Amino acid sequence: MAEDEHRDKRRQRVFKGATILTGMTNSEVTCTVRNMHDGGAELKVSIDARVPDQFLLYVPTDGIAYKAVVRSRREDRIGIMFTGTEPKPHWHYG
């Protein structure tokens, strides 16, 4: 069975710049949102990026910080599930 068949919702292809906000001394990881739906997204990150299992994903074009939990990791791709939203952290420069 193809991986897409296991998903409850079909993701929409997008190309949005975003930032993973790890909360560890306000550290950030730049990434690209490759596809997205209401429940989650797939991110492209640097292959050597250190991304924790839970983080905030700030997407400037949406003006939203999504609470995210990692569901899958493969090379430079991370599949995430959204667990909520919150305002952009005041310490983030973007």
Side-chain angles (χ1 to χ4, degrees):
M1 206 177 251
E3 186 175 322
D4 287 343
E5 293 177 27
H6 293 287
R7 295 195 177 110
D8 292 335
K9 300 176 182 177
R10 191 80 171 130
R11 292 182 176 171
Q12 179 181 1
R13 289 180 189 237
V14 297
F15 190 78
K16 297 179 181 182
T19 305
I20 294 169
L21 308 174
T22 66
M24 296 180 286
T25 60
N26 300 343
S27 65
E28 302 178 359
V29 176
T30 302
C31 66
T32 304
V33 181
R34 299 296 308 209
N35 56 57
M36 182 178 221
H37 64 77
D38 289 342
E42 181 187 53
L43 311 177
K44 182 173 180 171
V45 298
S46 169
I47 200 153
D48 59 346
R50 293 185 179 187
V51 178
D53 291 335
Q54 295 183 17
F55 55 86
L56 283 178
L57 176 70
Y58 179 61
V59 183
T61 57
D62 295 350
I64 297 173
Y66 298 93
K67 294 179 184 177
V69 174
V70 174
R71 303 295 288 173
S72 65
R73 296 177 192 258
R74 187 176 53 195
E75 297 177 9
D76 64 345
R77 304 292 170 113
I78 297 176
I80 61 170
M81 178 178 72
F82 299 139
T83 60
T85 61
E86 61 183 59
K88 181 187 89 151
H90 68 281
W91 52 266
H92 185 265
Y93 68 89

